[in-house]
Amino acid sequence: MNVTQPLALTGALAAVTLIAGCAPAEASAEGDTITIGTLRSQPHLFSPYFYEDVAADGLEFEIVLFDTSSDIKNAIVSGSIDFGVTGAASVISGVAEEQDVRVVASAADGGTRIVASPDIETADDLKGKKVGFPMGATQEILLKRTLEAEGIDPAADVELVNLPFADMAGAYESGQIDAFISAETGPSIAIVGGAHELLSAYDTPIGKTNIVLATSNSLIESDPELVQDVVDTHVAAIEEMSADTEAWADGLEKEFALDPEVTQTAIDNTWARWELDDAYVATLEAMGAEMFAFDQIASEIDPSLLVDTTFVDAASAS
């Protein structure tokens, strides 16, 4: 197999965790362990932890943890890792910059919520309130489009507070903000603490689309059999975690010491998937169009360079 050799990881790649619940995976005799990036503590990016349970004999995976989806995409582009379960927006950003990265499967829908304190019962109640959001992320688009649909001007009717994902729940708990939009697990932490989901974040043309499996086009061209093996493994992993959400929750709690109630609340807001049907690709294109409209990317993307359905099509036919 033409895959990367075991990595000498530094900087953002320094935190390396291998398959959850198992002894650290060893590279094969030829040193051809397949590296896959993901984020820590995220229910919607947990599928790689199921890979070893379902992989065909001879496939070895090493999970590499990153701080952001952009870090994962950059590692794919640089060749530091082979695959990544990452935010679709990061791949769109890469394609807009003509980088060597492609979506080869979906991985999870959802994982985002708009939550508010109990006294905020309607969208109108948000007027004059402080609303946390992550500037430059897809959640910025989802929040502003959702508020606009409710007749609220995001620039005039609310006070938007730019915060990192990791700080959102803490800012809500301390009273710095009254409501926020964020990726999990921040919203579930707030809900368990007494907040409630105020509005759906999924009613824009982007829908629930969020997380994908990506690799480089270079690897697709040089070793399509390996890409098919990994996509087949990903499909089996997604189907296993979807059928056994208790194992999904147990894995998250064991790997990252998460609170069980927070974990289950977050999983209830996540839909594992692997398909790349026309409707899903349309939501990716809608995300790209919105990112361009919000100046998150400098140019419109060529959809033909974003997605390669070859491998999920083959998995569907098998």
Side-chain angles (χ1 to χ4, degrees), residues 3-315:
V3 296
T4 58
Q5 299 300 306
L7 303 173
L9 301 173
T10 59
L13 307 185
V16 177
T17 299
L18 304 182
I19 305 299
C22 303
E26 296 179 357
S28 67
E30 296 76 26
D32 51 5
T33 296
I34 303 163
T35 48
I36 179 163
T38 190
L39 303 181
R40 70 178 66 250
S41 307
Q42 301 294 309
H44 43 310
L45 291 98
F46 197 66
S47 53
Y49 287 88
F50 281 78
Y51 280 17
E52 190 170 78
D53 287 344
V54 299
D57 291 344
L59 293 180
E60 299 279 353
F61 290 93
E62 179 181 6
I63 296 174
V64 186
L65 294 178
F66 291 83
D67 293 329
T68 70
S69 283
S70 293
D71 290 340
I72 296 173
K73 181 267 296 177
N74 291 337
I76 293 170
V77 172
S78 69
S80 297
I81 59 173
D82 304 308
F83 294 82
V85 170
T86 185
S90 69
V91 181
I92 291 170
S93 294
V95 171
E97 296 175 6
E98 300 182 353
Q99 293 179 332
D100 185 12
V101 61
R102 297 287 185 277
V103 173
V104 291
S106 58
D109 283 348
T112 293
R113 276 190 171 116
I114 300 170
V115 297
S117 57
D119 61 303
I120 299 174
E121 298 178 346
T122 69
D124 270 354
D125 292 339
L126 282 173
K127 292 180 177 178
K129 301 295 186 181
K130 296 179 180 178
V131 182
F133 79 111
M135 184 179 289
T138 306
Q139 282 76 12
E140 176 186 4
I141 298 170
L142 299 179
L143 175 66
K144 291 182 177 178
R145 292 303 192 210
T146 300
L147 292 179
E148 290 168 356
E150 294 289 335
I152 295 174
D153 183 347
D157 293 335
V158 297
E159 181 179 346
L160 295 178
V161 181
N162 178 29
L163 292 167
F165 287 115
D167 294 347
M168 211 71 76
Y172 171 79
E173 184 178 8
S174 69
Q176 182 182 349
I177 53 177
D178 305 293
F180 67 89
I181 185 169
S182 176
E184 297 289 3
T185 56
S188 291
I189 292 171
I191 288 172
V192 170
H196 69 112
E197 184 169 9
L198 178 65
L199 298 166
S200 171
Y202 304 139
D203 293 335
T204 77
I206 296 172
K208 295 185 175 79
T209 295
N210 193 356
I211 306 302
V212 298
L213 174 67
T215 189
S216 66
N217 195 54
S218 298
L219 186 57
I220 291 172
E221 292 180 347
S222 65
D223 200 342
E225 291 184 359
L226 171 66
V227 178
Q228 188 66 63
D229 285 342
V230 174
V231 170
D232 288 346
T233 302
H234 178 74
V235 168
I238 292 291
E239 292 185 345
E240 179 162 309
M241 64 192 291
S242 298
D244 190 354
T245 57
E246 184 174 345
W248 183 358
D250 288 346
L252 275 160
E253 292 162 22
K254 182 176 181 180
E255 189 68 29
F256 300 112
L258 299 183
D259 177 90
E261 188 175 2
V262 169
T263 301
Q264 189 57 58
T265 303
I267 287 177
D268 290 344
N269 184 38
T270 304
W271 297 268
R273 59 167 296 150
W274 54 267
E275 300 87 348
L276 289 175
D277 51 57
D278 290 345
Y280 184 84
V281 173
T283 63
L284 289 176
E285 293 175 7
M287 185 182 294
E290 287 285 54
M291 291 174 67
F292 180 66
F294 275 71
D295 293 326
Q296 292 183 358
I297 54 177
S299 61
E300 295 184 85
I301 60 168
D302 179 350
S304 68
L305 300 179
L306 176 62
V307 176
D308 189 327
T309 66
T310 302
F311 307 100
V312 292
D313 289 346

